[in-house]
Amino acid sequence: MDRPSAAIYSVVIQSCLKTRSLEDGRKVHQHIKRSGFVPGQFISNRLLDMYVKCDGMEDAKNLFDEMGRRDLCSWNVLVSGYARLGLLQEARKLFDEMPDRDNFTWTAMVSGYVRYDRPNEALDLCRMMSRCQNWQGNKFTVSSALAAAAAIPCLRIGKEIHGHIMRTGLESDQVVWSSLSDMYGKCGSIEEARHIFDRMVDRDVVTWTTMIGRYFEDGRRDEGLHLFKDLIKSGTRPNEFTFAGVLNACSDVTAEQLGRQVHGYITRVGSTPSSFAASALVHMYSKCGSMVNAERVFKGMLQPDLVSWTSLIAGYAQNGKPNEALHYFELLLNSGKVHPDHITFVGVLSACAHAGLVDKGLQYFYSIKDKHGLTYTTDHYACIIDLLARCGRFEEAKRIISGMPIKPDKFLWASLLGGCRIHKNVELAEKAAEALFEIEPENPATYVTMANIYATAGKWAEVAKIRTIMDDRGVVKKPGKSWIEVKRKTHVFLVGDKSHPKSKQIHEFLGELSRRMKEEGFVPDTNSVLHDVEEEQKEQNLSYHSEKLAIAYGVISTAAGTPIKVFKNLRTCVDCHTAIKFISKIVDRKIVVRDSARFHCFENGSCSCRDYW
């Protein structure tokens, strides 16, 4: 066609825009020039828009400079294009040169500053905007301003914007309500965020998911889970992000029963879990020690992603099944579709550490850099030191530490200290503790571990010094706490706890168990009891540790043969570990204990960790 009409050019330019074909757009522009067609304002702006949205900013700027007449739309298109791509200096220069501006202009600049992490400049622009005569803004402008306040975060400025919204009558818009709730949540005012949320009329799944997530981020998991139940009742269907958030919260508090309910809901509504939600399911079941279910979900995924592979590998490692962990790692390597990252190797090295596979662990450690081209992280070093220290290979551990290109962190020194505790290496333990005291002097775990090491060595004067240092520094030992879920109710126990309604029966049952255990040959390990007292008193101190109380309650409250699952906030002690092996045989129960480090599965007098922990 020699001279296409404006309508035809418009259609063709729009086609280039939809397909994001910059080269075809340039050809159309050249055709316009060759044909002698003089584009009007509309065609020029459409060309400009095409160049901007196809990321041809140089072409867009040249066209803009050639345009004999520019209207507000021309300026807005170019300013928004620069802002969208993060070319904020160019965008601001044009913005300042503009003869007129509208809400679109202000919103483009403010949102550009917010998107590229320059919230203070965004708010400066908002203040400049508010000084303009008769300015009120629209829902998009104030939403961008609220996003800037949230990004800082600054609750005071957010409230000022909220006041402006109320004065200008924008509070009826759902977009604004959502932005307000988001701002209050990110500024740490959860109650205000919930107040806004409750006043919203049309709450979509994104709004629900965001509010639920705010509770989880603030550590208020019970309220988040309760709101999730309200979401189910509301009839609004959760999406994969909702499920993933709730399942991750279940993982954090090891609420397997609720996690199973969420899994059941996903199945009932006929929703095939996406890779994202399925990964969260694998992670949840792994963290709760239910590896059969974790593996079942994993095998049901068409294309497991790296998170799913890593969760399964780490889950098997923590559950005392290193062979399964390494088996799945080899499957990952052989799949050719997914490549391990530094987090995957943390799980692999942990599996080797928990099983005492030193040579295998060293092989995997050196392959991180030599074979997979990854950079060592402090986590990798902490894992390999943990592996070597558990086996008593302290000279190799010291060589690796001295050759590290990065500074050892608290986890590495804690791993070394743990190995020293196992092998009673007091001298090296003191060096590790000295480093830990410097890094985190407020952490009671280091003081307690050193006190245990000194107590085992019979150095009671050193134990007394540790206590004095703790008192002088105001360091308080974290109390041991264990919990068990029976008939959908969680029961929490502290050491020596007598507050439970069934406390009398629990203590009587433990007394009977203690008698039968001694008949079976159990000898209490009193070496690390932090009191220089008689052996009989030491034994009594050990008898009522929180995990023993929780296990006893589980046994007397459930039918014979029912598995017992107990969780503890600290690492279980040597005496309790030995005692639970005896208990599992005497009561003929499978007993799972999840302490701060891993899962222990006790059955018929033995533990899945094979006493290597």
Side-chain angles (χ1 to χ4, degrees):
M1 299 175 67
D2 293 331
R3 292 178 62 88
S5 66
I8 291 175
Y9 275 129
S10 177
V11 170
V12 177
I13 294 168
Q14 185 65 15
S15 176
C16 297
L17 180 99
K18 284 182 178 179
T19 57
R20 294 297 190 265
S21 178
L22 180 60
E23 284 306 313
D24 286 337
R26 285 171 175 159
K27 290 175 183 177
V28 175
H29 191 186
Q30 289 302 316
H31 191 283
I32 289 173
K33 290 180 177 180
R34 288 197 308 270
S35 69
F37 176 83
V38 180
Q41 191 72 61
F42 178 78
I43 295 297
S44 294
N45 284 344
R46 176 145 285 193
L47 270 172
L48 194 63
D49 189 43
M50 180 274 297
Y51 278 135
V52 166
K53 288 179 179 173
C54 292
D55 295 340
M57 292 307 299
E58 187 176 347
D59 297 283
K61 184 62 169 66
N62 291 336
L63 173 60
F64 182 81
D65 291 340
E66 293 168 5
M67 289 170 64
R69 181 172 171 270
R70 307 163 187 150
D71 60 8
L72 183 57
C73 178
S74 314
W75 288 90
N76 280 344
V77 167
L78 201 58
V79 168
S80 65
Y82 279 130
R84 180 176 59 84
L85 294 173
L87 302 170
L88 299 175
Q89 187 174 348
E90 292 86 344
R92 186 56 186 267
K93 183 176 182 297
L94 274 174
F95 176 87
D96 291 338
E97 293 173 358
M98 290 181 70
D100 296 298
R101 304 183 187 102
D102 60 6
N103 280 323
F104 182 91
T105 322
W106 291 100
T107 303
M109 275 307 307
V110 172
S111 62
Y113 279 131
V114 172
R115 188 181 298 115
Y116 289 95
D117 199 26
R118 292 165 68 172
N120 288 306
E121 288 165 274
L123 290 173
D124 287 341
L125 204 61
C126 289
R127 295 186 187 96
M128 175 181 166
M129 183 168 53
S130 65
R131 290 193 292 268
C132 293
Q133 190 175 5
N134 298 324
W135 178 84
Q136 289 189 341
N138 61 17
K139 61 183 180 181
F140 302 110
T141 318
V142 295
S143 293
S144 295
L146 287 168
I152 291 178
C154 181
L155 183 60
R156 177 184 58 79
I157 294 174
K159 286 187 171 183
E160 288 176 5
I161 299 168
H162 189 178
H164 171 81
I165 290 167
M166 300 301 290
R167 289 192 299 274
T168 53
L170 288 168
E171 74 277 7
S172 61
D173 190 274
Q174 291 300 308
V175 173
V176 174
W177 278 116
S178 182
S179 298
L180 271 170
S181 179
D182 187 58
M183 180 276 295
Y184 279 119
K186 287 180 178 175
C187 289
S189 185
I190 306 297
E191 280 71 24
E192 288 283 359
R194 180 60 188 268
H195 175 70
I196 297 295
F197 174 84
D198 289 338
R199 291 183 63 186
M200 295 174 69
V201 179
D202 298 318
R203 291 178 288 206
D204 60 12
V205 66
V206 176
T207 308
W208 280 96
T209 302
T210 301
M211 190 65 234
I212 292 168
R214 291 278 171 255
Y215 279 126
F216 293 152
E217 289 169 11
D218 201 46
R220 296 161 64 169
R221 297 185 184 92
D222 289 343
E223 290 165 277
L225 295 172
H226 184 77
L227 189 60
F228 173 71
K229 293 175 182 177
D230 290 343
L231 165 62
I232 301 299
K233 294 175 186 175
S234 74
T236 302
R237 186 166 174 170
N239 62 19
E240 59 178 301
F241 299 101
T242 322
F243 290 132
V246 174
L247 289 169
N248 285 332
C250 292
S251 302
D252 292 339
V253 294
T254 56
E256 184 182 352
Q257 189 60 41
L258 181 58
R260 286 174 183 268
Q261 291 175 25
V262 175
H263 189 182
Y265 177 83
I266 295 172
T267 305
R268 282 195 306 276
V269 298
S271 173
T272 303
S274 66
S275 178
F276 191 58
S279 295
L281 272 171
V282 174
H283 178 67
M284 183 275 296
Y285 280 126
S286 297
K287 287 290 289 288
C288 293
S290 187
M291 293 310 300
V292 172
N293 287 322
E295 187 177 45
R296 184 181 295 124
V297 174
F298 179 86
K299 287 184 174 179
M301 298 173 68
L302 295 177
Q303 289 186 324
D305 61 7
L306 182 58
V307 174
S308 303
W309 283 100
T310 301
S311 295
L312 196 68
I313 291 166
Y316 275 125
Q318 289 190 335
N319 279 274
K321 296 183 177 181
N323 292 330
E324 288 86 343
L326 299 180
H327 168 70
Y328 272 100
F329 180 65
E330 292 298 332
L331 287 179
L332 182 155
L333 295 179
N334 294 332
S335 71
K337 298 177 182 178
V338 182
H339 301 286
D341 65 1
H342 67 283
I343 301 175
T344 314
F345 276 104
V346 171
V348 172
L349 293 174
S350 295
C352 294
H354 287 312
L357 303 172
V358 183
D359 294 333
K360 192 81 171 174
L362 286 168
Q363 178 185 334
Y364 283 129
F365 175 76
Y366 290 118
S367 77
I368 292 173
K369 185 177 180 181
D370 298 340
K371 185 176 179 180
H372 298 279
L374 299 173
T375 303
Y376 290 124
T377 68
T378 52
D379 290 334
H380 297 148
Y381 282 111
C383 286
I384 201 65
I385 296 304
D386 185 35
L387 172 61
L388 293 169
R390 282 172 185 266
C391 295
R393 292 167 65 162
F394 294 112
E395 291 305 315
E396 289 174 80
K398 287 192 286 186
R399 278 200 300 273
I400 288 178
I401 292 172
S402 63
M404 286 174 61
I406 51 180
K407 188 176 180 180
D409 66 0
K410 60 183 181 181
F411 299 108
L412 182 147
W413 291 117
S415 297
L416 184 61
L417 184 62
C420 292
R421 177 186 60 80
I422 294 169
H423 296 281
K424 302 177 178 59
N425 189 330
V426 178
E427 183 181 351
L428 189 56
E430 288 174 335
K431 292 180 180 179
E434 185 180 344
L436 285 167
F437 288 145
E438 185 177 336
I439 295 171
E440 46 174 9
E442 73 288 348
N443 187 353
T446 307
Y447 300 88
V448 173
T449 304
M450 273 310 301
N452 281 330
I453 291 171
Y454 284 135
T456 302
K459 295 188 173 185
W460 296 106
E462 298 301 323
V463 173
K465 284 183 183 178
I466 292 287
R467 285 187 189 151
T468 302
I469 293 171
M470 290 179 72
D471 290 339
D472 291 344
R473 296 179 179 177
V475 178
V476 180
K477 179 185 175 184
K478 188 177 182 180
K481 178 176 70 173
S482 297
W483 60 97
I484 183 173
E485 186 176 313
V486 176
K487 296 177 181 177
R488 297 191 177 183
K489 184 178 179 182
T490 301
H491 301 262
V492 182
F493 297 89
L494 299 175
V495 62
D497 203 335
K498 293 185 178 181
S499 62
H500 196 275
K502 289 191 175 182
S503 179
K504 184 179 178 182
Q505 296 98 307
I506 291 169
H507 283 255
E508 287 176 354
F509 181 68
L510 277 177
E512 175 63 19
L513 273 180
S514 180
R515 183 186 64 78
R516 292 183 60 184
M517 285 159 58
K518 287 184 178 179
E519 289 176 356
E520 294 283 337
F522 171 69
V523 179
D525 186 337
T526 61
N527 287 330
S528 59
V529 178
L530 298 184
H531 301 284
D532 188 9
V533 295
E534 297 298 325
E535 287 297 308
E536 185 178 347
Q537 180 62 45
K538 288 184 179 182
E539 290 184 22
Q540 190 172 353
N541 292 343
L542 290 167
S543 297
Y544 302 107
H545 277 188
S546 61
E547 58 265 57
K548 290 178 181 173
L549 295 171
I551 291 168
Y553 175 72
V555 173
I556 66 175
S557 302
T558 58
T562 305
I564 304 294
K565 184 177 285 189
V566 170
F567 296 88
K568 185 174 182 179
N569 65 330
L570 303 176
R571 184 189 292 267
T572 199
C573 71
V574 175
D575 178 78
C576 285
H577 189 269
T578 305
I580 298 169
K581 288 194 293 182
F582 277 87
I583 293 171
S584 70
K585 186 175 182 180
I586 291 169
V587 301
D588 193 21
R589 300 281 191 105
K590 179 181 179 180
I591 302 173
V592 177
V593 177
R594 170 67 161 98
D595 67 8
S596 61
R598 64 180 293 168
F599 280 92
H600 297 269
C601 182
F602 300 91
E603 202 164 8
N604 196 30
S606 62
C607 179
S608 59
C609 73
R610 299 186 290 275
D611 298 335
Y612 193 87
W613 54 285

